[in-house]
Amino acid sequence: MRRRNFVIALSLAGLAACAGPRASIGPDGLPEQQIYRISEQDSQEIPFRALDGLNTLRQAAGVRALVLDAQLTAAAATHSRDMAIQNRPWHFGSDGSSPIDRIQRVGYQGNLVGETISETFETETETLAAWVQLPQTREVLLDPTATRMGISWFQEPGGKIWWTLVLGN
């Protein structure tokens, strides 16, 4: 157990190092807010960076790798936009839909393993690192029954990002 936690922590440190430079310190001694603006280029790369990062963590934990799934990504995109509209990070849609409802609506034939969400200004790598540190979301991300992943986001004009990652099998 200790070895596994050490390997996961080491992997997270490596992922965080890939996220780029951290915020500079302002005149008040506090970090200045940095806004991660998702460019068109980033939009193409984010799903693969997230998949690679999560698969590295899953490999360290001894569970099989995931593959990207377009339907799970579509369900994640719908929920990210809806959370922004509701202005709250939670697992229910404005119409009362659950993660199961959303994957069924996009035609996903498998089962829902879990969903992780976030309201942040952080990159996908920083968000993944934060999810892995929490026992509830780590359990979802490292679930050995998961085989497929969808990830999406909605970025507000002010820079806030609403992340949704959905796992299925």
Side-chain angles (χ1 to χ4, degrees):
M1 183 66 147
R2 279 189 134 169
R3 182 171 182 241
R4 186 184 80 163
N5 288 341
F6 174 75
V7 171
I8 289 173
L10 188 60
S11 297
L12 285 174
L15 284 173
C18 295
R22 295 300 307 159
S24 59
I25 303 299
D28 58 359
L30 297 174
E32 292 180 333
Q33 177 67 48
Q34 298 292 310
I35 297 179
Y36 170 51
R37 293 277 178 201
I38 298 175
S39 69
E40 187 60 39
Q41 179 73 28
D42 291 326
S43 293
Q44 303 301 314
E45 296 173 0
I46 285 171
F48 299 101
R49 289 193 304 243
L51 179 67
D52 289 345
L54 183 51
N55 278 339
T56 298
L57 295 169
R58 289 175 62 85
Q59 181 182 15
V63 293
R64 70 178 141 189
L66 304 170
V67 296
L68 282 175
D69 185 281
Q71 291 173 319
L72 292 178
T73 296
T78 298
H79 192 55
S80 291
R81 180 175 294 277
D82 193 37
M83 285 190 299
I85 291 167
Q86 295 182 72
N87 197 32
R88 65 177 167 180
W90 74 324
H91 293 283
F92 295 96
S94 55
D95 62 355
S97 63
S98 71
I100 293 172
D101 296 329
R102 289 189 293 277
I103 67 169
Q104 288 174 345
R105 286 179 185 165
V106 297
Y108 186 70
Q109 296 297 308
N111 298 308
L112 175 73
V113 171
E115 177 183 78
T116 59
I117 57 173
S118 184
E119 167 194 16
T120 185
F121 288 88
E122 296 178 329
T123 68
E124 69 283 352
T125 306
E126 292 167 320
T127 302
L128 180 59
W131 283 335
V132 173
Q133 291 178 28
L134 299 171
Q136 299 88 350
T137 50
R138 180 176 53 245
E139 185 177 323
V140 171
L141 297 174
L142 301 180
D143 189 310
T145 65
T147 58
R148 307 186 80 70
M149 177 188 105
I151 185 167
S152 195
W153 62 92
F154 178 81
Q155 186 165 34
E156 295 179 354
K160 184 188 292 183
I161 306 169
W162 300 85
W163 293 103
T164 305
L165 185 143
V166 182
L167 296 181
N169 61 21

